[in-house]
Amino acid sequence: MASIDECISLLSGPSDERRFVGLLLVAKLLPSEDCSSALRIWEAIGSSFLKRMLLPVTSAAQVRGPEPSKDKIELHLMSCSVATAVLNSLCRFENISKLDQILEFLPLISQVWRNRARLKRWALHSGNEIIKGIFQDILGVFLATSSGSEQGKKKTVEHNGMEVALWALEEWKGDRNQIILMATSLVSNLLEGNALDRINLLQGNDAGISEAVQSISQLLVLGFDKGSPSSEKSEETDKVDPAMLQLEALHALLLIFPLPLPQAENVRDDLIGSQSEWWGRVRLGLTSILQSKTTLVQRHSALQLAAAMTELMGSDWLVKPYGEKIDSNDLMFFRLVVEIVSIEVPVLLRDVVEPSDVESMVEKMAETSISGQYEEEGPSAMEGGVPLPSMGRPSSSSQSESPPPKQDKILSETRRSAALRTLPICFWLIEAVLDVLTASENLLEEMTTGPPVCGLVSPMDDAVALRTINSITEIIGHVLEYVSEWKKLASEGKAQDDCLLVACSRCVGRFLADIPIAHMEAVKTCCEVLVRCGDMHEGVEFMTPGLLQLTGGEDAKVWSNLCSRKPIFDAILERAGFLCKQSAASVSTQIASGNDHSSMAIYSESKMGMLFHLLANIVLGVTDSAFQSDAPMSVKVMEAAIEWFKKRMGYADVDVLLVVALVSALFVKGVHEQGEVTDQSEKLVEEALECVLNAVEIGHKGLVANEVVFQQECGDTWERLVHFMTTLIEVNPKALSQAKTHIYIQNGIRQFDSEGVACVEDVSWQLLLKTIQMGDTHM
C-alpha cells in the first residue's frame, strides 16, 4: 500500500487525474492513520478540489441540465463517493472536524442529500451500488461536526442535519446496519445540550420525529424479536452489534422523551394515535434490559424511559395488552417494574441520608431477586450489559466506523446526587402502578353496571394485585422511614434543604388516597414534614386526598386534632389562600380571553374544593376547645376565598362553591364565638354571609333541578352548609338580618307560607326557612 508521502505527492498534482488517484488511495489509508498524518493529507488536498468533485451533484446548472450519459453518470457517482468518503474519514479526527474549512462543506453535503432523488436515479441507470455509501458518509460528516464543537452542531442543524438523520431512519427502517446506528447517534447528538434548541428541533421536525420514534423503538428489541422481518433483512446488510444499537436507541429515546409541551403536541398526538405498536416494542425492549444482569445505570435509564412512556401513553401502558385482555406476558413488565422499584427505593433513600458505595449490594439483590425470575415467561435476557446514558446528559463520541457507546457520567457523580435524580422516577412509577390498580378495581365495578370507561380492557388478576399492593406498601414504609430520619436530622440542625421531600409527599399522598389506613402511626409522625414541604407548602395538596379520608373516617377526631396543630393547620390555611388567589387570577385572565371553562381552571378548582373540604373536616371534628374558640379561619384565607367565590359563582362546580361557603360559615361562627369584632372582621363577616346565602340559593336550585343527582354529588356538603347557616341565624342577629333581605330566601319563605311546605321536601331547607321566620321571636 502507498505511503503517506506518496499520497501527498499525488495530491499535489499538477493534474486532477493525479489528485483523483491520490484521493482513492487516501480513502483507504486514512482510517489507519493518526491525527498529524490526517492533517498533512488535508493540507495537501485543500478544499477547492473536493468542492469541484461535488459539483456534478451540487451545481444548480448541472442538476437542471440534461441527463448525462451512462459513462458520465458513473464518473459523477465515483467523484461524489470519493469526495464524501474522504471528508468522512478526515472528520473522524476531532481537530479536523472543528475546522472552519470543513464546516464550509456542510451546505454542499446537504445539497448532495437534497438531490438524493437524482442520485438514486443515476444509481439505477448505471447499476452502481455506491449510493448507500454516499449517504453513510454524509451521516458520518454530520455526526462528526455535530459533536466536534458547538459551532459545528449549530451548522449541522442549520444545514439539515436532523432532517438527514430522520430520513435515514425511515429509509432504512428495520435494518440493523451502520446507517441506522449513525442516524440514531446523530439524532442524539443534536438533541443533547441546550433545552431551547431541543424544543425547537422537536417542534420543527414533528412528523419526522414521530416516525423516527417508531423506527428507533425497533432497535430496542434487537436479539429478542427473532422471527421479525427485520431480523431476516439484517442478514443481508452490514450488521452492527445489537447491544450497541439498543444502547443508542435508548439514549435517543431518553432525549426525545418526555416531550416538551405544548411545543411538541403534534408529535405526541401522532404517537398516541399511531396504528403501529411501537409502544409495545419499547416495553419489550425495556423488559429485556430489566430482566438481564445489568448495571445500575442500565436499570435506572430503563426506569426513566418507562416513566416517560407512562407520562405519554398513560399509566395503563404498563399493562396495555396486545390482545383483547391482559395476559401473563402483558403483566411481566408491570411485575418487573414493581420488583425493581422495591429494590432500588430503600437503597437510594439510604444513599441520600448516608451516601456510600453500595453498588455491589444492589447488584447482588438484583441478581437474586430478578435474574431468572421470569425466564419461562419471556425471551431470554441479554448477556452482559452496556452502560446506558441518562436523559439530557451531554456526551461526545468520536466517529469511527462503529461509533462507541456514550460514556456515562453518572459513574463519576456522588451517590447522593444520583439518588436524588433517580428517586423521583421511581416515585412516578409507583403512582403509575397505583393508577393501574385503581383502574382495575374500577373496571370490576363498571363491568356490572355498563361498558368500561377506564384505560384497561380487562381487570388484573387478584393475586397479582395483592402482591403489588403489598410491595408498594412496603416501599411507602421505607419512604416514611426516610422522612422520619430527615425530621430527626432537622431537629438536630443536620438536615440538608432537601427537595426530595416534595417528591416523598406526592408519593405518600398518592398512596394514602387509595390506602389511607396503612402506616398510620408513621404518617402521624411525618405528617407535619410532608404537609409543610415545598414552595407555599406544596405538600398540602399532595396529602389532602388521604387526610380528607382520614378526617372523615372512623378516627376522624384523632386526625382532626392532629391536623389542627398550628404548624399543620397554618400550612393548610396558607395553601388554601394561595390556591384561591391563583384560581381567581387565572379566571380573570380566562374571562378576558373569552374562555372561562378551561381544563386548567376546573383542575385548580377541584384541588381547591378538596382542600376546603379538609378544612371543614378539621374544624368540625376537632375536640380542642381552645382551637374551636380561637376563630381558626385566617382572615387572609377568607378574603381570598370570598374574592374567588364572587368571580366563580356562576361557573364553578356546585360542590366546590358549597364547601367554600361552608368554610365561610365556620369562619363567621368562629368570629361570633370569639366575641371581638373589628371593622375589618365585621366587613368580612358580612361578605362571608353573602357567599353562604348565595351558595344556599345555588344549592337549592340544583336540588330542585335534579334531586337525585344533587344528593349524590353534593348532599353531604349541602346538609352541613344549611345546618350551620341555620345555627348562625339562631345566634347571630347579623346573619338573620342578611338572610331576611336575600331575595331567593324571601321567595322561599313566601312559598312556604302559602303552601305550608317547601317546593322540595328537603328537611334542611325547610328548617332554615322556618328558623328565619321565627328569627324575631328567638332574638
Side-chain angles (χ1 to χ4, degrees), residues 230-355:
S230 61
S231 63
E232 297 173 6
K233 191 174 181 181
S234 65
E235 297 295 332
E236 305 170 3
T237 61
D238 52 330
K239 293 186 295 183
V240 178
D241 180 8
M244 185 176 293
L245 280 169
Q246 190 181 53
L247 167 64
E248 289 295 346
L250 181 56
H251 183 54
L253 291 176
L254 283 172
L255 288 166
I256 293 172
F257 298 124
L259 293 169
L261 298 176
Q263 295 90 344
E265 274 188 281
N266 291 338
V267 179
R268 179 197 62 185
D269 295 343
D270 287 346
L271 289 173
I272 293 175
S274 172
Q275 296 301 311
S276 165
E277 292 182 339
W278 67 272
W279 51 267
R281 292 193 293 271
V282 172
R283 195 172 69 192
L284 180 59
L286 293 180
T287 299
S288 73
I289 294 171
L290 294 176
Q291 273 188 315
S292 58
K293 298 176 183 179
T294 58
T295 65
L296 277 174
V297 178
Q298 282 180 307
R299 281 201 298 281
H300 292 173
S301 297
L303 292 175
Q304 183 179 351
L305 182 55
M309 286 296 295
T310 60
E311 182 180 28
L312 175 70
M313 301 296 295
S315 298
D316 63 308
W317 170 80
L318 292 170
V319 292
K320 189 174 182 179
Y322 284 102
E324 294 182 355
K325 65 178 183 178
I326 298 173
D327 59 24
S328 59
N329 289 327
D330 297 316
L331 285 174
M332 185 189 347
F333 180 68
F334 178 81
R335 292 159 61 186
L336 274 171
V337 168
V338 173
E339 180 74 20
I340 291 172
V341 169
S342 299
I343 292 171
E344 294 290 340
V345 167
V347 177
L348 291 170
L349 287 170
R350 179 51 52 189
D351 276 352
V352 174
V353 178
E354 298 176 3

Side-chain angles (χ1 to χ4, degrees), residues 20 23-24 27 50 53 77-87:
F20 187 77
L23 281 181
L24 288 174
L50 284 177
M53 292 184 68
L77 283 175
M78 179 62 74
S79 297
C80 182
S81 175
V82 172
T84 54
V86 169
L87 279 171

Side-chain angles (χ1 to χ4, degrees), residues 662-673:
L662 173 60
V663 171
S664 301
L666 293 173
F667 167 75
V668 174
K669 176 177 178 288
V671 171
H672 175 78
E673 291 176 350

Side-chain angles (χ1 to χ4, degrees), residues 9-22 49 52:
S9 176
L10 289 169
L11 290 170
S12 301
S15 66
D16 284 350
E17 287 77 9
R18 281 178 59 85
R19 292 190 179 96
F20 187 77
V21 173
F49 181 59
R52 288 208 311 274

Side-chain angles (χ1 to χ4, degrees), residues 71-277:
D71 290 342
K72 283 194 173 182
I73 285 176
E74 290 184 354
L75 180 60
H76 293 339
L77 283 175
M78 179 62 74
S79 297
C80 182
S81 175
V82 172
T84 54
V86 169
L87 279 171
N88 184 25
S89 296
L90 287 168
C91 285
R92 288 173 48 249
F93 303 98
E94 188 174 345
N95 288 345
I96 296 178
S97 67
K98 295 190 292 187
L99 294 174
D100 290 341
Q101 298 95 316
I102 290 291
L103 298 182
E104 289 174 2
F105 274 91
L106 294 186
L108 294 175
I109 293 294
S110 178
Q111 187 62 42
V112 173
W113 171 74
R114 286 198 294 271
N115 291 334
R116 60 192 178 278
R118 194 179 201 214
L119 283 173
K120 289 181 178 181
R121 190 169 65 250
W122 285 359
L124 289 174
H125 291 333
S126 67
N128 207 315
E129 297 298 328
I130 63 174
I131 186 73
K132 181 178 177 181
I134 292 175
F135 290 131
Q136 183 168 321
D137 289 329
I138 289 173
L139 281 167
V141 172
F142 278 135
L143 193 53
T145 56
S146 65
S147 58
S149 65
E150 281 302 314
Q151 179 67 10
K153 182 175 178 180
K154 181 179 178 182
K155 290 289 184 182
T156 302
V157 172
E158 183 180 333
H159 296 295
N160 308 111
M162 180 61 82
E163 290 85 344
V164 172
L166 298 178
W167 167 80
L169 286 170
E170 183 62 22
E171 184 76 6
W172 281 275
K173 188 175 183 179
D175 277 345
R176 303 173 181 182
N177 55 23
Q178 284 293 330
I179 286 186
I180 288 292
L181 177 60
M182 296 169 78
T184 306
S185 298
L186 181 53
V187 169
S188 298
N189 275 5
L190 296 178
L191 289 176
E192 284 177 321
N194 186 279
L196 183 58
D197 291 341
R198 171 178 172 266
I199 291 172
N200 291 335
L201 280 171
L202 292 174
Q203 188 175 19
N205 299 277
D206 47 11
I209 290 291
S210 60
E211 291 294 331
V213 168
Q214 298 179 52
S215 299
I216 293 171
S217 68
Q218 294 183 351
L219 305 181
L220 280 180
V221 294
L222 293 179
F224 304 94
D225 194 10
K226 301 291 186 183
S228 69
S230 61
S231 63
E232 297 173 6
K233 191 174 181 181
S234 65
E235 297 295 332
E236 305 170 3
T237 61
D238 52 330
K239 293 186 295 183
V240 178
D241 180 8
M244 185 176 293
L245 280 169
Q246 190 181 53
L247 167 64
E248 289 295 346
L250 181 56
H251 183 54
L253 291 176
L254 283 172
L255 288 166
I256 293 172
F257 298 124
L259 293 169
L261 298 176
Q263 295 90 344
E265 274 188 281
N266 291 338
V267 179
R268 179 197 62 185
D269 295 343
D270 287 346
L271 289 173
I272 293 175
S274 172
Q275 296 301 311
S276 165
E277 292 182 339

Side-chain angles (χ1 to χ4, degrees), residues 432-446:
V433 168
L434 289 169
D435 288 342
V436 171
L437 293 174
T438 302
S440 179
E441 184 179 351
N442 292 342
L443 182 57
L444 286 173
E445 298 177 6
E446 292 166 7

